[in-house]
Amino acid sequence: MRTIRPGRLSDLAELQQLFVDTISSVCRPDYTAKQLEVWTSGVNNEQRWRDILLNQFVLVALQDTEIVGFATLDAGHYIDLLYVHKDYQRQGIAQELYTEIEKEARQQQQVELTADVSITARVFFESVGFSVINEQVVMRQGVELINFRMRKFLHSR
């Protein structure tokens, strides 16, 4: 049985592991080994992760008791993180999490959602109505990572 609930500080270690495992396997076709290493090293910024859980709108998807995905909304309009466990890809989990994130943004009367999206995630974000604003080159530890600034306008329903 799958459920979605608010994230909590006690989820920290499991979310960090899911982040690393997902990037390392799912994003492998789109990024080099060095790029993946630099990207996953973000897991070591413990304060950023704690701040996310304390200050952002965080949802986790559970399959029974295992966390199989999570999404975060910062400042009501920026999707900071959206990851689905490597063993649970293509089962509608990202769609479920995204739907709840968008619902929260609409409740906060946001006019748009934005996200910085990996090459791997771009297709998913386009499928839920986002458009690319521009391609970005992000430098991390001297390594270039390509991602896309994307936006979706939220019109009242």
Side-chain angles (χ1 to χ4, degrees):
M1 164 138 176
R2 194 158 55 227
T3 56
I4 293 180
R5 66 158 169 78
R8 36 189 187 242
L9 212 44
S10 60
D11 296 328
L12 180 62
E14 200 172 346
L15 296 181
Q16 289 174 306
Q17 190 63 53
L18 189 153
F19 172 84
V20 171
D21 291 348
T22 300
I23 293 167
S24 299
S25 62
V26 176
C27 301
R28 184 174 288 142
D30 298 315
Y31 294 91
T32 67
K34 186 64 178 168
Q35 288 171 320
L36 295 172
E37 179 185 324
V38 168
W39 185 0
T40 58
S41 73
V43 79
N44 300 321
N45 185 344
E46 196 76 28
Q47 190 57 53
R48 169 162 157 63
W49 281 87
R50 295 177 83 71
D51 288 346
I52 288 167
L53 284 161
L54 294 170
N55 301 317
Q56 293 187 24
F57 178 75
V58 180
L59 294 175
V60 299
L62 298 161
Q63 185 71 42
D64 300 314
T65 60
E66 180 184 7
I67 295 176
V68 295
F70 69 99
T72 74
L73 184 66
D74 192 20
H77 64 86
Y78 179 73
I79 299 174
D80 191 6
L81 302 168
L82 175 56
Y83 288 90
V84 173
H85 191 288
K86 65 183 179 61
D87 297 336
Y88 291 86
Q89 296 286 308
R90 307 209 186 296
Q91 295 181 24
I93 297 166
Q95 178 70 54
E96 289 175 36
L97 287 165
Y98 172 75
T99 298
E100 293 303 313
I101 289 288
E102 182 178 313
K103 190 182 300 180
E104 175 65 20
R106 287 179 184 280
Q107 287 174 347
Q108 293 185 28
Q109 301 182 338
Q110 299 293 326
V111 296
E112 68 178 18
L113 281 170
T114 58
D116 293 310
V117 175
S118 69
I119 295 167
T120 313
R122 177 180 171 175
V123 171
F124 169 77
F125 277 85
E126 288 175 334
S127 79
V128 294
F130 279 74
S131 299
V132 173
I133 299 170
N134 60 289
E135 181 176 311
Q136 305 178 119
V137 177
V138 180
M139 289 298 289
R140 292 224 178 111
Q141 302 170 30
V143 176
E144 287 186 0
L145 292 167
I146 292 179
N147 70 15
F148 301 92
R149 169 57 55 112
M150 297 188 78
R151 172 176 51 210
K152 177 181 181 177
F153 289 107
L154 303 177
H155 305 289
S156 57
R157 290 185 176 173

